[in-house]
Amino acid sequence: EIVLTQSPGTLSLSPGERATLSCRASQNINYNYLAWYQQKPGQAPRLLIYGAFRRATGIPDRFSGSGSGTDFTLTVSRLEPEDFAVYYCQQYDTSPFAFGPGTRVDIK
Amino acid sequence: QVQLVESGGGVVQPGRSLRLSCTVSGFTFSRYGMHWVRQGPGKGLEWVAVIWYDGSKEYYAESVKGRFSISRDNSENTMYLQMNSLRGEDTAIYYCARGDENSLDHWGQGTLVTVST
């Protein structure tokens, strides 16, 4: 079973700043089957990135994903007010398709 | 447009059963794997189960294996989650989601299941 850890737990930043979120897997994730989701309070999650670096439909290019193997990163180049939310990574290489515990990005 | 609508949630006593439904529209249901994901109050996302596009394979989280069963009816564009022997820790919002190579590209708004006496 692949276990994901995310860091930091909380990131306090100001609008316009760069956010760098980390997701680490307990074992290698094949085919870069790693996705990132954004969730705002009271809403369902939204797919941002799949295949480690591919942006989902309609996702602004300030969101980017990178990494391979066991270490992955989500970067938001310049935070907009609507980007303050919780972000989850998920591996979909091997069942169970677990999520990481999440990183909360809040306004400093 | 793609829509997923969950139903069947509610309050249920521990040890009892409940069946959730997810009815979809706006895409060819029979071409996609489908997932259930849940979120306990104030907690993170927990993947629950997946069923292959043709119903040929199912996988479950360890926490629900042997108690929950996922199924689908491609003629009705509907997926189900049969939940038996419910426990307090099963209390959560249950989301259905479409799988695109198992990344979850569309989600429903969720249905709340509360397990309580």
Side-chain angles (χ1 to χ4, degrees):
Chain A
E1 177 177 340
I2 299 176
V3 177
L4 300 179
T5 56
Q6 291 186 243
S7 60
T10 302
L11 200 50
S12 296
L13 295 168
S14 300
E17 290 194 294
R18 181 184 189 91
T20 303
L21 288 65
S22 173
C23 176
R24 179 162 291 178
S26 60
Q27 56 188 275
N28 195 65
I29 296 175
N30 297 308
Y31 313 110
N32 285 333
Y33 278 172
L34 190 286
W36 290 92
Y37 302 85
Q38 177 193 67
Q39 189 180 32
K40 299 178 183 178
Q43 295 185 17
R46 176 175 71 146
L47 177 66
L48 298 175
I49 300 288
Y50 65 98
F53 58 85
R54 293 178 168 84
R55 268 188 302 276
T57 303
I59 302 303
D61 60 7
R62 64 180 181 273
F63 290 93
S64 63
S66 62
S68 64
T70 60
D71 288 293
F72 299 87
T73 300
L74 175 70
T75 301
V76 188
S77 59
R78 289 178 55 86
L79 285 163
E80 297 288 340
E82 62 267 27
D83 299 336
F84 292 91
V86 181
Y87 294 83
Y88 297 94
C89 58
Q90 184 211 16
Q91 67 82 17
Y92 53 100
D93 173 25
T94 307
S95 178
F97 302 130
F99 292 87
T103 291
R104 180 180 303 277
V105 179
D106 62 20
I107 300 176
K108 189 173 182 180
Chain B
Q1 73 278 24
V2 173
Q3 284 195 314
L4 298 86
V5 179
E6 303 92 341
S7 60
V11 180
V12 61
Q13 293 179 330
R16 303 299 290 263
S17 299
L18 205 60
R19 188 176 83 156
L20 306 182
S21 300
C22 171
T23 302
V24 313
S25 59
F27 66 98
T28 304
F29 180 61
S30 60
R31 292 183 182 175
Y32 290 86
M34 295 294 295
H35 298 245
W36 288 99
V37 175
R38 69 184 182 183
Q39 187 167 35
K43 296 188 176 180
L45 301 174
E46 180 185 12
W47 178 82
V48 173
V50 61
I51 186 165
W52 253 226
Y53 69 99
D54 59 355
S56 61
K57 294 184 181 180
E58 304 160 23
Y59 296 100
Y60 298 90
E62 203 60 40
S63 58
V64 306
K65 202 175 290 185
R67 299 187 300 123
F68 289 13
S69 177
I70 190 171
S71 62
R72 64 191 296 159
D73 184 338
N74 284 349
S75 68
E76 296 289 334
N77 288 349
T78 302
M79 173 179 68
Y80 304 97
L81 186 68
Q82 177 67 43
M83 304 186 295
N84 300 328
S85 303
L86 282 160
R87 307 167 180 167
E89 55 265 36
D90 297 319
T91 293
I93 297 172
Y94 284 74
Y95 296 101
C96 65
R98 188 179 85 167
D100 187 358
E101 288 192 336
N102 291 322
S103 68
L104 308 180
D105 65 349
H106 289 277
W107 297 64
Q109 282 306 301
T111 187
L112 177 62
V113 172
T114 303
V115 183
S116 174
T117 54

